[in-house]
Amino acid sequence: SSDAKVPFVIKVIDSDEVNAFALPGGFFYVNSGLILAADEEAELAGVMAHEIAHVAARHGTEQYSKAQLLNLATVPLIFVGGGIGYGLSQAAGFLIPLQFLQFSRGAEREADHLGMEYAYKAGYDPTAVITFFEKLQAQEKRKPGKLSKLFSTHPPTAERIEKAQQELATVLPDRPQHVVSTSEFEAVKA
């Protein structure tokens, strides 16, 4: 139900952290902490749809291209700065790929928008996206700082909730039925 042009290979990582991420080419990783934090399959589907949207919109590829250009721009440091320049160039070569997994707030907003549409197209209840954002917001208030590092490149959660509510009210037509959860999801959680 997405615009992605690649098949996805999905792996579960045994980690308590509430997180998922997808890499260019369709390699998709879901932490077990995310599965356990989701009360309904539709919540998990919403988060996964968000990550699929990053791949479909080619956010990772764009970030990688920017990183490559930035890396090439550091080459003159070797010739201009001698040993210090070489050290700076090596540090940049190490740090630039770490930025590869962080998207801009604009890319996160786009992934939120597309992800909500993808979840809706797949038949899932789109209000579950809002419900999961509210869970994140409650967790942020309980343990400030723990999630802030993880979501520092994301728009503020309150803003994400507001945008999702607007989209739900104006873009996505009402349906008589949505998938909320299935027995398969409950079995996986157990």
Side-chain angles (χ1 to χ4, degrees):
S1 298
S2 75
D3 302 318
K5 304 214 181 325
V6 296
F8 284 87
V9 176
I10 302 171
K11 303 283 183 180
V12 177
I13 297 173
D14 186 13
S15 169
D16 293 338
E17 192 174 314
V18 177
N19 197 14
F21 61 95
L23 300 173
F27 295 94
F28 193 140
Y29 301 89
V30 179
N31 287 2
S32 57
L34 172 63
I35 296 168
L36 295 173
D39 290 325
E40 301 170 340
E41 184 174 337
E43 291 177 348
L44 178 62
V47 174
M48 292 178 73
H50 170 94
E51 295 304 326
I52 289 168
H54 278 306
V55 174
R58 301 177 47 88
H59 293 151
T61 305
E62 288 174 8
Q63 285 296 96
Y64 184 73
S65 296
K66 289 176 189 175
Q68 288 297 92
L69 288 173
L70 191 56
N71 209 1
L72 286 173
T74 65
V75 170
L77 288 174
I78 297 169
F79 302 108
V80 175
I84 293 172
Y86 178 75
L88 289 172
S89 176
Q90 290 298 307
F94 174 73
L95 295 174
I96 289 170
L98 294 177
Q99 293 300 312
F100 175 62
L101 293 175
Q102 294 185 348
F103 300 121
S104 69
R105 287 186 175 197
E108 291 298 337
R109 284 184 186 100
E110 183 179 26
D112 284 350
H113 170 78
L114 291 173
M116 197 163 178
E117 286 184 8
Y118 296 164
Y120 175 84
K121 278 195 228 175
Y124 287 100
D125 182 0
T127 60
V129 172
I130 297 166
T131 305
F132 202 79
F133 282 154
E134 289 169 344
K135 281 183 187 177
L136 289 177
Q137 189 174 42
Q139 196 170 354
E140 288 169 0
K141 288 178 182 173
R142 265 183 286 155
K143 297 181 181 178
K146 184 176 182 187
L147 287 177
S148 65
K149 292 177 188 170
L150 181 63
F151 294 110
S152 62
T153 57
H154 291 62
T157 306
E159 178 186 313
R160 295 174 86 185
I161 292 168
E162 185 180 324
K163 292 278 187 194
Q165 288 171 332
Q166 288 172 358
E167 183 167 346
L168 187 61
T170 59
V171 178
L172 301 176
D174 196 27
R175 276 196 178 144
Q177 289 184 5
H178 297 285
V179 174
V180 176
S181 214
T182 64
S183 59
E184 288 90 354
F185 173 72
E186 297 305 324
V188 166
K189 260 189 96 157

